[in-house]
């Protein structure tokens, strides 16, 4: 399914993933590693990868991670990726759990 995403959809997915990395206001090494692996899986070019690395330094703007803008066909993919992100460090905090639940509800 990842290979079917357009450039903008790939970046949108990475915005969501990075926003979930910031859910507890701390981006851990394991989360950075998850983002790095996802960038490889998505075959991001140098410019796209630079944008994503920036979102690990400063979280994406809230307006840029609107669940209602996720294409219906990709909502489960986004939800699964967010779930993988929050579990990547072995700890799921209350903020992360709450954000995932909200995303799940909004993408139904």
């Amino acid at each position: 399914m990842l290979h079917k995403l357009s450039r903008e959809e790939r970046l949108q997915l990475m915005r969501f993933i990075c926003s979930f990395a910031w859910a507890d206001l701390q981006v851990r090494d394991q989360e950075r590693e998850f983002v790095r692996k996802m960038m490889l899986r998505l075959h991001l070019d140098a410019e796209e990868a630079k944008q994503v690395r920036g979102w690990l330094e400063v979280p994406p703007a809230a307006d840029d991670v609107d669940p209602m803008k996720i294409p219906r066909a990709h909502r489960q993919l986004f939800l699964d990726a967010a779930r993988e992100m929050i579990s990547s460090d072995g700890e799921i905090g209350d903020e992360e759990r709450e954000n995932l639940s909200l995303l799940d509800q909004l993408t139904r």
Side-chain angles (χ1 to χ4, degrees):
M1 180 67 106
L2 292 177
H3 66 280
K4 293 183 179 183
L5 297 177
S6 69
R7 179 182 193 274
E8 185 51 42
E9 290 167 342
R10 289 192 311 267
L11 288 173
Q12 184 182 29
L13 175 60
M14 293 308 299
R15 276 187 212 98
F16 273 88
I17 289 172
C18 290
S19 72
F20 271 88
W22 278 101
D24 60 359
L25 304 178
Q26 179 181 2
V27 180
R28 293 188 169 88
D29 290 341
Q30 300 94 325
E31 293 167 328
R32 289 179 187 280
E33 181 62 16
F34 177 83
V35 168
R36 187 189 70 74
K37 287 178 181 177
M38 186 60 91
M39 288 191 308
L40 292 173
R41 289 173 57 194
L42 290 169
H43 303 286
L44 299 187
D45 65 26
E47 180 185 323
E48 294 166 335
K50 182 179 177 181
Q51 282 184 289
V52 173
R53 285 190 298 273
W55 296 326
L56 290 177
E57 299 307 316
V58 177
D63 291 346
D64 291 339
V65 288
D66 181 354
M68 302 313 290
K69 293 181 181 177
I70 300 171
R72 183 166 297 285
H74 302 309
R75 288 181 177 175
Q76 188 62 49
L77 173 68
F78 278 55
L79 186 60
D80 292 344
R83 187 175 288 115
E84 285 182 62
M85 165 51 80
I86 67 169
S87 63
S88 67
D89 65 359
E91 299 176 24
I92 300 177
D94 292 338
E95 304 90 355
E96 293 170 321
R97 190 174 288 110
E98 184 177 317
N99 286 346
L100 184 64
S101 177
L102 182 60
L103 180 62
D104 185 27
Q105 292 171 18
L106 291 173
T107 57
R108 288 180 190 218

